[in-house]
Amino acid sequence: MPLVQNYLFPAMWLSFLAYWWAISRNVKETERRESAPSRIARLVLIVGAAALLWLPRVPLPWLNQRFLPRGAWCFWSGAAVTAVGLLFAVWARRHLGKNWSQAVTVKEGHELTTSGPYALVRHPIYTGLLLAFVGCAVARGEWRGLLAVALVFVALWRKLRLEEKWMRAQFGESYEAYSRRVAALVPHVI
């Protein structure tokens, strides 16, 4: 079991990142891209969240304290939630096809995607990533996991707000109608 506990989460995330990198080349040309400082700020928050989750200890002792009891159920339920989140993000990425980009962009011939996972939430990749971080936090069971989730939420919420602004400018009433019909991150909630 210790071998699985040490390597399952890194294996899931590294597989996800390898897949993400491998398919990132087959996209449309970019017409408009978010600023470098905006992308860097998001990256800093996400790297900080990852460090909180995967470092053996953090310098603030109270963050290393548990909010969930130690046990196999925390590990395995966290692993399941992480896997579901990563797979949901992959489904959304595949469904988005050539319109995808790492940064907030408007692509040449950009199309509004509202089917598949985009019929459930407007930003399913972000939903999947948040869910994956929640799973990691549950598996860790320490307060720093919740802080990591909060950092990722802030990073993705900032990105979401910019993306929403650009989608409204690009697609007008079509996007307005879509946003009234479909929640941003959690179906029927937010």
Side-chain angles (χ1 to χ4, degrees):
M1 182 72 156
L3 189 64
V4 170
Q5 288 180 327
N6 289 335
Y7 294 107
L8 180 61
F9 283 89
M12 284 193 290
W13 279 100
L14 289 174
S15 298
F16 172 79
L17 292 172
Y19 171 78
W20 216 253
W21 178 81
I23 64 168
S24 68
R25 308 287 181 238
N26 189 22
V27 295
K28 294 178 181 178
E29 292 296 319
T30 299
E31 284 185 8
R32 182 179 180 194
R33 177 182 312 271
E34 80 178 298
S35 70
S38 176
R39 291 191 314 268
I40 291 168
R42 182 174 53 257
L43 182 63
V44 166
L45 288 171
I46 291 173
V47 167
L52 282 169
L53 283 168
W54 287 293
L55 288 174
R57 302 208 59 66
V58 294
L60 300 171
W62 67 273
L63 286 175
N64 297 306
Q65 293 177 6
R66 298 192 65 80
F67 72 93
L68 290 173
R70 207 174 287 281
W73 75 270
C74 284
F75 177 82
W76 289 111
S77 58
V81 170
T82 298
V84 166
L86 293 175
L87 290 171
F88 190 70
V90 165
W91 178 36
R93 167 58 184 96
R94 289 187 57 81
H95 196 76
L96 194 56
K98 293 184 178 206
N99 285 316
W100 176 84
S101 65
Q102 180 273 329
V104 177
T105 62
V106 173
K107 298 291 189 178
E108 289 180 7
H110 203 112
E111 301 161 2
L112 180 59
T113 304
T114 61
S115 59
Y118 293 86
L120 302 173
V121 289
R122 294 192 309 271
H123 303 276
I125 293 173
Y126 307 162
T127 299
L129 291 174
L130 277 169
L131 195 57
F133 271 90
V134 166
C136 291
V138 167
R140 174 148 302 275
E142 297 172 356
W143 289 106
R144 61 185 162 142
L146 296 180
L147 179 57
V149 169
L151 290 175
V152 170
F153 179 82
V154 168
L156 295 177
W157 189 258
R158 288 181 69 244
K159 185 177 181 185
L160 178 152
R161 301 289 295 187
L162 179 60
E163 192 171 309
E164 293 270 315
K165 180 179 173 185
W166 288 15
M167 292 296 103
R168 280 183 171 81
Q170 181 76 15
F171 298 109
E173 181 51 40
S174 295
Y175 196 81
E176 285 298 330
Y178 174 54
S179 66
R180 284 191 299 272
R181 194 174 66 251
V182 178
L185 289 173
V186 178
H188 310 293
V189 178
I190 183 173

